[in-house]
Amino acid sequence: MSAPTSTVSAPATTVGGPSLSPIRRMALGAPPGTVSLALGEPGWPLPQVAREALRDLGGTDARLPYGPNSGRPDLVEAVAAFSARSAHPDGSGVSPEQVMVTSGSQAALFALFQAHATRGSDVLVPDPGFVSYVSLAGLCGARAVPYPLGPGGDLDAEALVRTLGTTRHTSVVVLNHPANPTGGMASARGLATVAEACAGAGALLVSDEVYKELWLDAAPVGLHDVAGVEAGVVLGSLSKAFGAPGLRIGWAVGDPEALAPARLVHNAMTTAPAQPSQDAAVALLGAADRVLPGAREHVRRRWATLARVAPGLSATAGAGPRAGFYLWLPLPGRVPAVETEAFALQVRDESLVTTVPGSAFGARGAGFLRVSLGGPLEELEEGLRRLAPWWGA
Ligand SMILES: Cc1ncc(COP(=O)(O)O)c(C=O)c1O
């Protein structure tokens, strides 16, 4: 008997074969009892205001309608008011038309890429950088062009502008600061330089600032602090500093003309953000002055745990943390960069702790592991204890 032939057509070439994210790949086949220092999400409790909003779901009105495509007006207003706290040099604030509420900032990225990363164009992405930027560009039939970062993963605006000069047609330029996976930052001058270069090249500048509120000593500068709302689209999220990744609420703030086609994509994909999540989002944004300092305390406690439990790892990583919860850890000197993934797997299988091999974030990430300090404190302590001996620490 001949083997049955599939009646399912081949996937679109932009989608390609099934592939797992590096984080999921590290989790797959992990021995029982493995502690994860791989996931990039907060391990502290959902803030009280959000829990109350979810408990009070719908109030006395038992209906749960779709709601407006672009998010509920009260949430759009809340995002505008929140974003205006840091924007904007000329004092004009942020208006609701400049806000797109999305199902996580991931959906904002997807919608913006689909709307602007034209087939055959180039999309400039940080290397090392958040893995989604490359796959999202691929889904559009665009080419991801990596640009190098400066020391400590900071934005090197000149290097970015040089890369921009080598491409034929760049549709989108992505910045991420504070950065995943390096924790790198951007200076006001660097942001202004990139904004000017993107305007000159006719490229949409997307500034992913989802870790911006998780600073330790001083608030980082954002694109809209430096160059007005028209200079580019800034992404924010409830997933990191607001401690609520499962709500799947994020946003994009920028020029209404840049957002308009992305809104169509987002509507086509999701219809509207989930209503219960929007209730909790309004509550969280309304309580930002209490929730965010609390989140920064959670993050400080995690970096202090690293210094206490594994000071050798902290010293290996060099200059102290400035924002976010990622430790960007060079491999022990004896391990060559080409063995980054093999080393991460060996550590996982022999010491039962997962990290993410830096090579997953781009070619320039080889030679590093990304260690997330974001998770629950007891797991973090145990994971660091298992990790440290590999560095003789
Ligand atoms: C740099 C960066 N941008 C965007 C996202 C997406 O976050 P969310 O969709 O939960 O808002 C993440 C998630 O890890 C991230 O690290």
Side-chain angles (χ1 to χ4, degrees):
M1 222 165 71
S2 61
T5 46
S6 172
T7 52
V8 180
S9 62
T13 52
T14 48
V15 177
S19 90
L20 280 176
S21 84
I23 298 176
R24 305 285 170 201
R25 222 168 39 231
M26 285 297 290
L28 205 74
T34 300
V35 170
S36 176
L37 300 185
L39 279 179
E41 63 182 6
W44 55 89
L46 178 66
Q48 177 80 12
V49 283
R51 275 184 275 146
E52 281 166 10
L54 291 171
R55 202 180 48 218
D56 298 345
L57 174 64
T60 51
D61 179 356
R63 292 173 60 244
L64 192 57
Y66 286 118
N69 294 127
S70 298
R72 267 175 16 204
D74 56 343
L75 177 53
V76 171
E77 288 281 355
V79 172
F82 179 72
S83 305
R85 296 176 356 153
S86 59
H88 144 278
D90 66 11
S92 58
V94 173
S95 68
E97 300 73 51
Q98 293 169 322
V99 173
M100 174 173 75
V101 172
T102 55
S103 300
S105 63
Q106 185 70 35
L109 281 165
F110 179 85
L112 286 162
F113 274 51
Q114 289 289 321
H116 293 281
T118 45
R119 179 172 288 275
S121 70
D122 294 319
V123 174
L124 263 57
V125 301
D127 179 13
F130 179 46
V131 291
S132 280
Y133 304 142
V134 174
S135 43
L136 289 169
L139 287 174
C140 300
R143 183 174 72 122
V145 177
Y147 65 84
L149 299 170
D154 286 353
L155 171 67
D156 178 345
E158 278 71 36
L160 190 158
V161 171
R162 270 199 304 280
T163 309
L164 188 59
T166 65
T167 58
R168 204 173 36 81
H169 169 52
T170 297
S171 52
V172 177
V173 172
V174 184
L175 300 179
N176 176 216
H177 56 108
N180 173 10
T182 61
M185 311 284 258
S187 68
R189 203 155 147 252
L191 291 171
T193 301
V194 173
E196 202 185 313
C198 288
L204 178 72
L205 177 56
V206 174
S207 185
D208 181 340
E209 301 180 6
V210 300
Y211 295 94
K212 183 171 181 238
E213 298 294 338
L214 285 181
W215 48 269
L216 290 140
D217 296 319
V221 67
L223 175 68
H224 289 166
D225 303 321
V226 173
V229 176
E230 313 296 313
V233 177
V234 169
L235 304 185
S237 176
L238 294 184
S239 299
K240 311 295 178 184
F242 286 95
L247 288 180
R248 310 305 306 126
I249 294 288
W251 54 85
V253 175
D255 184 347
E257 276 189 39
L259 297 184
R263 286 185 204 280
L264 295 179
V265 176
H266 192 264
N267 296 352
M269 183 172 60
T270 67
T271 303
Q275 285 276 22
S277 293
Q278 294 190 69
D279 280 344
V282 170
L284 280 167
L285 286 164
D289 288 340
R290 272 179 294 133
V291 171
L292 296 178
R296 292 192 271 271
E297 246 347 277
H298 285 296
V299 169
R300 281 188 200 104
R301 217 170 292 150
R302 280 156 174 76
W303 286 100
T305 300
L306 170 72
R308 178 171 54 79
V309 175
L313 295 187
S314 180
T316 304
R322 290 160 293 168
F325 44 56
Y326 298 121
L327 176 70
W328 187 236
L329 186 60
L331 300 184
R334 64 183 184 281
V335 183
V338 289
E339 285 175 20
T340 306
E341 184 156 351
F343 178 71
L345 285 169
Q346 189 187 3
V347 171
R348 182 195 76 178
D349 294 341
E350 292 181 22
S351 293
L352 306 189
V353 53
T354 48
T355 57
V356 186
S359 44
F361 299 96
R364 294 181 180 93
F368 292 82
L369 297 184
R370 190 194 77 175
V371 181
S372 174
L373 311 181
L377 277 173
E378 321 75 64
E379 284 176 35
L380 175 61
E381 277 208 42
E382 180 54 31
L384 291 173
R385 282 209 178 88
R386 294 180 188 185
L387 204 55
W390 290 87
W391 276 259

